[in-house]
Amino acid sequence: MTTVLPAPVSEPRHRKESAAHAPPRWVRPAVFGLLAATAVLYFWNLTASGYGNSFYAAAVQSGTQSWKAWLFGSLDSGNVLTVDKPPAALWVGTAFARIFGFSSFTVLAPQALMGVASVGILYLTVKRSAGPVAGLLAGAMLAVTPVAALMFRFNNPDALLVLLLVAGAYFVVRATETASPRWLALAGAAIGFGFLTKMMQAFLVLPAFGLVYLLAAPTSLGRRLLHLGGAVVALVVSAGWFIALVELWPTASRPYIGGSEGDSLLELALGYNGLGRIFGGEGNGGGMGGGMGGNTAFGGSTGLFRMFGASFGTEVSWLLPAALIGLVAGLWFTRRAPRTDATRVALLLWGGWLVVTAAVFSFMSGTVHPYYAVAMAPAIAALVAISGRALWRGRAHLAPRAVLAGMVVVTAVWSFILLDRTPEWFPALRWIVAVLGVLVGTVLVMGVPASRRLVAVVGAAVVLTMGVSSAAYGVETASVAHSGSIPTSGPTSSAMGGGFGGGFDDSSTAMGALLAKTTTKWAAATTGSQSAASLELASGKAVIGIGGWSGSDPAPTLEEFKAYVAAGEVKYYIEGGRGGGPGGGSSEITDWVTANFTATTVDGQTVYDLQS
């Protein structure tokens, strides 16, 4: 097929703008209905997951107790060390908890709100390129993607990251329409704050954002380059101000930067949370993702098909084959369109986002978890909606009908395979989808009847066939509780932790009651941030997590800990906990405590009273 699809595939920009000012009457109620349904999905029985990830929940609690802890993202309100991520997501969560009080709901609700906002902004972005129907479909597909239903009900930083990335895409689309440096600078600022949310992962969309503006903005090449330079400045400023603040702040009066070897946020960004994630090392398991094969919590084996494997497959890949087919077909059919063609701009934007992100996740050798895939969900939803809508509008021609039929059949087959991985859950669904796929694909190839009613029926069947499996799995994901540091989607509750060694359950009421009675700056100290977090949530008091996440951070040092004890600032040392890496001095502190203080047993744990 060497001809371009007829005009309906790609409307002139002025027609879109005119339609945007006078949408059909059904659009606004449909959008409100989508957002309301998304809110119900994300908020329903939200507190069943308790505090979700206790590591971040404890940091939010600490931020409600100390302004400095809020600013730096400290795990403890005494400000010994921070979590091993930048604090933007904690800023939002702590603000919510300060206003409404610290609880399970206030810990998890900000992420649910971010999810509703992400769906809304995705609708607005896709609508500008492909109309309200495609926008609604994209928003709905994002809302029910299993990994989205998981992470927008959980307190990891990924919810804020996705919101900022989708906002950045909206700003890029607005900028590209009119060659606006202001909108492009806003996109740069959004990615800059994305960096303060999850560091270099936010940069994975930059190639697509830059390429789209450079190719399609309606102005001269020189101005396009100048505007991109301004956006880079906005990005650097929005991300760099906090890095500069941390680097310039006297180290003696701020917490140690968790996860770094030299107490540096910039080192954390480039090492442990940057190149270490991609190439391994820097505290990232030295190739854990690739070397652990079937370990689904760490992504399984690296390679081209990782996104379809046991780790990532049911999280996000339900519509991934269809998105890739739609991307290739859409770029082919719009190859002769004008440089500023809105449909091609959208395909390049979301396609570049998806391809770069999927490639990095597929081949990175450091620490990678399946829930990272939530960053791919908006791009997949947008590509399927935009390409599917365009192909449907060109259904009078065989080529677009055949491609759309291929998207439907491939989605049905792949859904069958994914559903077969949990055969005990809703076993009839995979057969229903398979039959629908064959029937709908056949009708599309043979030709959609001209009757308006039959057209509506076939269109609804296309949407149902492609979306029902992911939606059912996403709703099921939202209906079960998730906790720990590595949540996974699906019909089974997940509560997987991380790190090494033992730990404390945050339901340990006797230990929490003991610590709640203390009046010292820190109620206790223990090895590892995870164990300290559980104790903080159980008691409401500050607890030193010696050595940070893995126990290997050099904070506090033995001399610093001795000074805390001598000043009467730490009441108890609790033996055990998760951590104990070789570099943090946690073993030295344990040896010193055991040699100088008497042990007792409380709630099954060995406890040393440091003030007796």
Side-chain angles (χ1 to χ4, degrees), residues 10 88 141 255 260 303-304 317 358 362 381 397 410 483 532 552:
S10 182
M141 284 186 279
S260 71
L304 185 62
S317 76
S362 295
H397 302 266
V410 167
S483 60
S552 61

Side-chain angles (χ1 to χ4, degrees), residues 32 78 116 292-293 300 417 459 471 476 542 551:
F32 287 146
V116 176
M292 298 189 75
I417 295 171
E476 183 68 17

Side-chain angles (χ1 to χ4, degrees), residues 433-450:
V433 172
V435 172
L436 279 174
V438 172
L439 293 176
V440 174
T442 301
V443 170
L444 287 172
V445 172
M446 296 299 294
V448 180

